[in-house]
């Protein structure tokens, strides 16, 4: 992908028909320019896609890099995202690079705002978890020439590396294990349908049912569950059914937490089997321990960081889609037989 020339302050000045000194005053919020001039300069900057460089040139390295990378994930309070960030940080530290991180909260406007903020700080590259169904801002930033790696969710545009896990295959394996233990009524509880990971895990669920010779029961499917509270309500609805499902496949860690709360509150955690996608803290300390599809989060983070650093160093080979295998960790909750 050809790198486009960044517009300069001179470009803005020429388009706005003012001096570079006036542009500098407007960009830095200093007095001395009238309202009409301020608006003309800002309109020119928007038109050109100009962004001020917040890193002082005297502090920049001789190779013109800032020794920083940007990391933009969905929610850094989520154990999965925070562990992923730590893995990227560990790898960046080996390169003497600082990580600037933010949470997009799966909001397109916030993602765009944070991308702009990272870009104005002239980060050398970015590792990003794309907002579900919204990658226009990422594509625009990539087309500016910013080295970028998408993690957990692949790009919908070309020329960009990505790192994901075995979402579909591992989900199929989880459902087949439940079927092997005798379960025929296996419920699915998933995250938002706009997310590629959710779609892949649901497809794996369907494949698992088909391979086990089980028919899909759409009344046992709950999707678009954002967070444990929504998962609690959905789990309660499923368990109120007659007959209720004998097993649950929860396709995201916070969904698993919500489902476990309901099972334990109803004293059903030894009677209803459960396998969750993604591990979470203390999952192995419960009784029974929570059986999970565990992603190799350190490997995901390391691979993403390695790819972005390679691009920063000038690697122009074709884009890579790296897949890091997940594993089924059996702890007891997924090994309960139907009663």
């Amino acid at each position: 992908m050809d790198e486009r020339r960044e517009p300069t302050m001179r470009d803005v000045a020429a388009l706005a028909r003012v001096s570079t000194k006036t542009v500098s005053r407007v960009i830095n919020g200093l007095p001395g320019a009238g309202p009409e001039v301020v608006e003309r300069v800002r309109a020119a900057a928007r038109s050109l896609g100009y962004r001020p460089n917040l890193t002082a040139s005297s502090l920049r390295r001789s190779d013109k890099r800032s020794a920083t990378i940007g990391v933009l994930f969905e929610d850094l309070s989520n154990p999965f995202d925070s562990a992923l960030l730590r893995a990227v940080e560990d790898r960046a530290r080996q390169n003497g690079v600082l990580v600037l991180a933010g949470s997009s909260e799966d909001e397109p406007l916030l993602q765009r705002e944070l991308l702009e903020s990272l870009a104005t700080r002239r980060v050398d590259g970015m590792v990003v978890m794309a907002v579900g169904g919204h990658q226009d801002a990422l594509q625009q930033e990539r087309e500016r020439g910013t080295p970028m790696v998408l993690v957990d969710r692949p790009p919908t545009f070309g020329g960009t590396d990505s790192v994901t896990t075995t979402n579909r295959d591992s989900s199929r394996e989880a459902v087949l294990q439940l079927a092997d233990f005798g379960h025929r009524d296996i419920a699915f509880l998933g995250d938002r349908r706009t997310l590629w990971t959710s779609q892949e895990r649901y497809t794996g669920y369907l494949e698992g049912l088909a391979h086990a010779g089980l028919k899909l029961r759409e009344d046992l499917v709950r999707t678009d569950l954002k967070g444990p509270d929504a998962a609690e309500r959905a789990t309660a609805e499923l368990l109120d059914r007659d007959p209720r499902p004998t097993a649950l496949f929860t396709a995201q860690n916070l969904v698993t937490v919500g489902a476990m709360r309901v099972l334990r509150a109803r004293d059903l955690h030894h009677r209803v089997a459960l396998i969750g996608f993604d591990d979470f803290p203390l999952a192995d300390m419960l009784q029974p321990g929570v059986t999970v599809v565990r992603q190799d989060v350190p490997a995901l983070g390391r691979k993403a960081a390695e790819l972005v650093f390679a691009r920063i160093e000038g690697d122009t080979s074709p884009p890579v889609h790296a897949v890091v295998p997940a594993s089924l960790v059996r702890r007891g909750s997924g090994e309960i037989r139907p009663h």
Side-chain angles (χ1 to χ4, degrees), residues 7 33 39 50 57 74 144 155 158 174 181 186 195 216-217 245 250 254 296-297 302 328:
E39 179 52 37
Y50 171 77
S57 59
E74 181 179 330
R144 288 177 180 271
F181 273 81
I186 304 170
L195 300 179
L216 169 65
R217 285 186 52 187
T250 52
L254 299 183
D296 189 344
V297 183
R302 283 194 303 270
L328 183 63

Side-chain angles (χ1 to χ4, degrees), residues 111 171 289:
Q111 176 184 254
S171 296

Side-chain angles (χ1 to χ4, degrees), residues 8-314:
T8 67
M9 196 174 291
R10 285 186 178 181
D11 296 327
V12 177
L15 184 59
R17 304 186 307 280
V18 297
S19 68
T20 55
K21 184 176 181 180
T22 298
V23 172
S24 178
R25 286 183 176 278
V26 173
I27 294 299
N28 291 291
L30 299 175
E36 187 272 335
V37 171
V38 169
E39 179 52 37
R40 205 162 72 230
V41 169
R42 289 177 176 171
R46 285 194 301 270
S47 173
L48 293 170
Y50 171 77
R51 294 180 301 211
N53 185 350
L54 299 184
T55 305
S57 59
S58 61
L59 297 180
R60 290 177 65 82
R61 305 185 332 178
S62 59
D63 58 10
K64 304 302 181 183
R65 296 179 189 158
S66 63
T68 61
I69 62 170
V71 170
L72 184 54
F73 292 161
E74 181 179 330
D75 180 3
L76 291 175
S77 68
N78 185 310
F80 174 78
D81 291 20
S82 59
L84 193 60
L85 172 61
R86 179 56 187 268
V88 173
E89 281 185 316
D90 288 345
R91 183 63 181 78
R93 193 176 300 116
Q94 297 174 19
N95 286 40
V97 169
L98 181 68
V99 174
L100 305 178
S103 299
S104 70
E105 300 177 14
D106 207 41
E107 293 290 341
L109 291 179
L110 181 55
Q111 176 184 254
R112 183 179 292 275
E113 177 184 319
L114 291 171
L115 282 172
E116 285 288 326
S117 182
L118 291 172
T120 57
R121 285 162 175 79
R122 295 302 194 269
V123 295
D124 298 324
M126 297 183 187
V127 177
V128 182
M129 187 181 294
V131 166
H134 295 273
Q135 296 194 7
D136 290 352
L138 299 179
Q139 182 174 359
Q140 290 168 10
E141 189 58 44
R142 182 69 191 91
E143 288 175 350
R144 288 177 180 271
T146 302
M148 181 183 295
V149 176
L150 266 59
V151 66
D152 192 54
R153 305 158 192 174
T156 56
F157 52 92
T160 305
D161 300 318
S162 59
V163 185
T164 63
T165 195
T166 49
N167 290 284
R168 182 184 300 191
D169 291 348
S170 295
S171 296
R172 181 174 62 246
E173 181 185 2
V175 173
L176 283 172
Q177 154 137 334
L178 293 170
D180 287 345
F181 273 81
H183 295 281
R184 295 295 176 264
D185 297 315
I186 304 170
F188 176 89
L189 294 96
D191 203 344
R192 286 142 297 162
R193 287 175 289 180
T194 57
L195 300 179
W196 177 83
T197 48
S198 297
Q199 297 163 13
E200 287 288 290
R201 294 170 194 178
Y202 181 62
T203 299
Y205 165 77
L206 295 177
E207 291 178 351
L209 293 180
H211 285 202
L214 302 177
K215 294 184 66 174
L216 169 65
R217 285 186 52 187
E218 294 186 0
D219 59 313
L220 296 186
V221 174
R222 298 291 186 277
T223 57
D224 290 318
L225 306 177
K226 187 173 182 179
D229 291 344
E232 282 189 54
R233 292 189 293 271
T235 304
E237 291 175 5
L238 289 169
L239 295 178
D240 285 338
R241 300 187 66 82
D242 186 18
R244 67 181 177 230
T246 62
L248 310 177
F249 175 53
T250 52
Q252 195 254 9
N253 58 353
L254 299 183
V255 173
T256 304
V257 169
M260 285 300 302
R261 287 176 182 170
V262 178
L263 290 177
R264 297 183 72 83
R266 297 192 180 193
D267 198 26
L268 291 173
H269 51 296
H270 289 285
R271 296 178 62 83
V272 176
L274 179 145
I275 298 180
F277 204 109
D278 288 333
D279 209 352
F280 58 94
L282 304 181
D284 58 335
M285 301 295 289
L286 299 173
Q287 274 301 326
V290 182
T291 296
V292 297
V293 174
R294 181 167 62 195
Q295 299 192 60
D296 189 344
V297 183
L300 287 166
R302 283 194 303 270
K303 185 62 178 177
E306 288 167 3
L307 286 171
V308 79
F309 285 128
R311 298 303 182 184
I312 291 169
E313 293 298 328

Side-chain angles (χ1 to χ4, degrees), residues 314-326:
D315 182 0
T316 58
S317 61
V320 173
H321 178 199
V323 180
V324 178

